[in-house]
């Protein structure tokens, strides 16, 4: 438990001092890629120690076996970390898109061939450099190349590939788990942040597609599923950019959450909705061409205290419990009645710093279905679009 707490604190310090100046999107991708480098480095150090334990007891080793000197240790550690990050970058930016619509067997075979090619080239280059460092000769010298030929035909070369493929397997398993669970959820599992339930204040935004039943009936379930994938994909950049965390996809509804301070800063919870609308509108031609219609959505914002913890009955997940979830869902239900796309509770509106970019319209105090207490509701507008409401 102490190790997990230390790891969590270390990550927070890294986030604060190293990548805080990066944009939210770049920070998101960096946090996805760095674990690959860490995984490769950890495995390589373990295997390097194992090799050293074996070779240290041998009085003589073959000339093509590179001795583990301080310089080689630093070079190999840095090289393996960079190779791991390179694999992560390829996985995040290339492979996920390249094999997105492929079956699992085709995806595995395709990834294997792609990474094997990349790793073969890297092993070739890095061995020559390491041999050059030890012999203090040029990379292009005959002795260095002869050394590589001997290495290539040795059992050590086979052992190296076993180690590389093992590292690759572990990192790809991490990638698949991270993609399915969500990067933030996996991050929280590893750091042990919610291993014991904690109370925290969070903002929730419930987003619901308009006329989803009609659209589903018209398209059929297969095409409707494809539409949902494109629909949710169009929101990705807006959510990442505004530090949102996707809590759940429930049919045509998505639940996005922020820790209170993150959601309030720079009005991220509001900007997220506006930028999601803009991103979807920018893909109007694609949706109309594929599905004959551009879907639209409505949303509700509220905040409150929740208990957050790990649930692991049949599968592990990060779970939120609190009245705020039920209240936000009920506020979302008012959007149709009030004919508004974006509603916010009065308690949350008082915490946000509205400027000339946004305005809110008082819709009065409303009773919420299934709840005894009523709540004051506001509609959020962009001031540049609607000049009739008062800015707060």
């Amino acid at each position: 438990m102490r190790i997990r707490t230390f790891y969590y604190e270390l990550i927070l310090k890294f986030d604060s001092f190293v990548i805080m100046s990066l944009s939210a999107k770049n920070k998101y991708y960096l946090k996805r890629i760095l674990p690959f480098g860490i995984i490769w480095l950890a495995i390589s150090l373990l295997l390097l120690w194992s090799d050293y334990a074996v070779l240290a007891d041998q009085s003589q080793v073959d000339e093509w076996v590179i001795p583990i000197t301080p310089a080689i240790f630093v070079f190999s550690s840095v090289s393996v970390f960079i190779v791991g990050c390179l694999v992560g970058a390829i996985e995040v930016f290339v492979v996920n898109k390249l094999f997105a619509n492929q079956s699992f067997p085709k995806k595995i075979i395709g990834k294997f061939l792609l990474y094997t090619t990349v790793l073969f080239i890297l092993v070739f280059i890095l061995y020559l450099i390491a041999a050059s460092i030890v012999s203090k000769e040029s990379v292009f010298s005959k002795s260095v190349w002869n050394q590589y030929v001997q290495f290539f035909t040795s059992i050590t070369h086979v052992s190296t590939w076993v180690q590389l493929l093992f590292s690759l397997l572990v990192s790809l398993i991490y990638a698949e788990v991270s993609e399915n669970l969500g990067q933030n959820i996996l991050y929280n599992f590893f750091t042990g942040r919610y291993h014991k339930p904690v109370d925290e204040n969070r903002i929730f935004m419930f987003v619901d597609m308009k006329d989803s039943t009609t659209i589903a009936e018209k398209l059929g379930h297969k095409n409707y599923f494809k539409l949902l994938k494109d629909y949710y994909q169009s929101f990705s950049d807006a959510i990442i950019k505004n530090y949102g965390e996707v809590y759940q996809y429930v049919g045509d509804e998505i639940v996005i959450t922020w820790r209170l301070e993150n959601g309030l800063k720079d009005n991220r919870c509001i900007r997220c909705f506006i930028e999601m609308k803009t991103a979807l509108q920018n893909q109007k031609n694609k949706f109309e061409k594929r599905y004959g219609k551009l879907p639209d959505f409505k949303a509700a914002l509220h905040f409150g205290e929740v208990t957050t913890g790990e649930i692991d009955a049949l599968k592990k997940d990060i779970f939120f419990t609190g009245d705020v979830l039920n209240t936000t869902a009920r506020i979302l239900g008012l959007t149709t009645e009030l004919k508004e796309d974006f509603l916010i509770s009065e308690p949350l509106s008082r915490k946000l710093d509205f400027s000339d970019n946004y305005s809110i319209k008082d819709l009065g105090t409303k009773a919420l279905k299934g709840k005894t207490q009523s709540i004051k509701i506001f509609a959020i507008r962009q001031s540049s679009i609607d000049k009739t409401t008062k800015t707060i």
Side-chain angles (χ1 to χ4, degrees):
M1 189 63 185
R2 290 180 179 177
I3 294 176
R4 296 178 76 179
T5 302
F6 171 77
Y7 177 72
Y8 175 60
E9 292 176 351
L10 187 64
I11 292 292
L12 284 181
K13 290 179 181 179
F14 177 80
D15 183 67
S16 300
F17 295 107
V18 181
I19 61 178
M20 189 59 71
S21 61
L22 298 176
S23 68
K25 191 171 182 179
N26 289 334
K27 186 186 295 186
Y28 169 81
Y29 286 124
L30 188 59
K31 283 184 176 181
R32 289 189 65 185
I33 293 170
L34 280 178
F36 286 84
I38 294 171
I39 289 170
W40 279 67
L41 179 59
I43 294 175
S44 72
L45 290 177
L46 177 63
L47 296 176
L48 187 65
W49 176 84
S50 177
D51 288 344
Y52 177 77
V54 173
L55 294 176
D57 293 334
Q58 295 182 359
S59 57
Q60 293 184 346
V61 295
D62 296 312
E63 61 179 10
W64 42 264
V65 175
I66 297 175
I68 303 172
T69 63
I72 289 300
F73 176 80
V74 173
F75 172 75
S76 62
S77 298
V78 172
S79 299
V80 167
F81 179 77
I82 292 174
V83 169
C85 289
L86 178 62
V87 170
I90 294 173
E91 180 71 18
V92 170
F93 295 114
V94 180
V95 175
N96 278 344
K97 297 178 181 178
L98 191 62
F99 297 100
N101 298 317
Q102 300 296 324
S103 65
F104 183 75
K106 289 183 179 179
K107 184 184 292 188
I108 293 298
I109 294 172
K111 286 185 177 183
F112 179 81
L113 294 175
L114 176 62
Y115 287 122
T116 299
T117 302
V118 172
L119 290 174
F120 179 83
I121 296 171
L122 289 174
V123 168
F124 171 71
I125 294 173
L126 293 175
Y127 182 91
L128 292 177
I129 295 174
S132 175
I133 292 173
V134 173
S135 64
K136 298 181 181 180
E137 296 184 26
S138 169
V139 171
F140 303 102
S141 69
K142 186 176 180 179
S143 62
V144 169
W145 280 78
N146 287 337
Q147 199 171 333
Y148 173 76
V149 172
Q150 290 178 300
F151 165 73
F152 185 81
T153 57
S154 70
I155 190 65
T156 304
H157 186 230
V158 177
S159 174
T160 300
W161 271 101
V162 171
Q163 295 175 13
L164 288 173
L165 293 178
F166 177 71
S167 299
L168 179 62
L169 176 63
V170 173
S171 58
L172 290 182
I173 289 174
Y174 162 82
E176 290 296 321
V177 173
S178 177
E179 186 177 350
N180 282 278
L181 287 180
Q183 199 262 342
N184 283 327
I185 291 179
L186 191 61
Y187 171 82
N188 288 327
F189 280 145
F190 281 143
T191 59
R193 181 174 186 181
Y194 298 121
H195 184 64
K196 291 185 177 181
V198 298
D199 294 331
E200 55 185 2
N201 283 306
R202 277 189 170 268
I203 297 172
F204 287 89
M205 180 164 69
F206 281 50
V207 180
D208 187 38
M209 184 190 293
K210 295 181 180 180
D211 303 319
S212 58
T213 303
T214 303
I215 295 173
E217 289 178 350
K218 182 179 178 181
L219 293 177
H221 61 90
K222 290 184 178 180
N223 284 330
Y224 180 63
F225 179 80
K226 293 178 182 178
L227 178 139
L228 282 178
K229 287 184 66 176
D230 289 338
Y231 170 74
Y232 287 136
Q233 186 62 41
S234 69
F235 298 155
S236 298
D237 283 351
I239 296 171
I240 292 170
K241 182 179 176 181
N242 290 289
Y243 294 83
E245 303 172 31
V246 175
Y247 173 42
Q248 287 180 335
Y249 293 105
V250 186
D252 61 340
E253 185 175 295
I254 179 174
V255 180
I256 304 167
T257 183
W258 294 262
R259 292 200 298 276
L260 182 60
E261 61 277 12
N262 283 347
L264 294 178
K265 187 175 181 180
D266 300 325
N267 289 332
R268 287 171 181 163
C269 59
I270 296 178
R271 285 169 46 196
C272 185
F273 174 87
I274 302 299
E275 291 177 15
M276 285 166 63
K277 280 277 189 182
T278 301
L280 190 60
Q281 189 63 38
N282 289 341
Q283 297 192 47
K284 180 179 179 180
N285 292 336
K286 184 183 84 171
F287 276 92
E288 289 183 342
K289 183 178 179 180
R290 291 183 180 181
Y291 311 108
K293 181 180 177 63
L294 177 68
D296 198 4
F297 62 91
K298 52 194 178 181
L301 271 176
H302 185 44
F303 92 100
E305 187 177 71
V306 293
T307 296
T308 311
E310 295 179 8
I311 295 290
D312 56 358
L314 295 177
K315 77 181 189 79
K316 213 162 193 177
D317 203 354
I318 301 296
F319 196 72
F320 301 107
T321 59
D323 184 65
V324 58
L325 291 148
N326 185 54
T327 301
T328 310
R330 296 293 183 262
I331 295 173
L332 178 65
L334 294 174
T335 53
T336 302
E337 174 190 330
L338 300 174
K339 297 180 180 179
E340 294 286 350
D341 280 357
F342 196 17
L343 299 180
I344 184 173
S345 66
E346 187 268 342
L348 180 56
S349 71
R350 284 191 274 108
K351 288 188 171 291
L352 288 164
D353 181 20
F354 287 90
S355 64
D356 292 337
N357 295 324
Y358 308 105
S359 58
I360 60 174
K361 180 180 179 181
D362 189 343
L363 299 178
T365 301
K366 302 295 178 182
L368 301 179
K369 184 178 179 181
K371 298 183 68 65
T372 57
Q373 291 186 339
S374 300
I375 190 169
K376 198 169 188 178
I377 301 296
F378 293 92
I380 301 180
R381 312 277 180 80
Q382 277 187 283
S383 298
S384 59
I385 297 175
D386 189 341
K387 299 290 187 180
T388 62
T389 55
K390 294 182 179 180
T391 301
I392 293 182

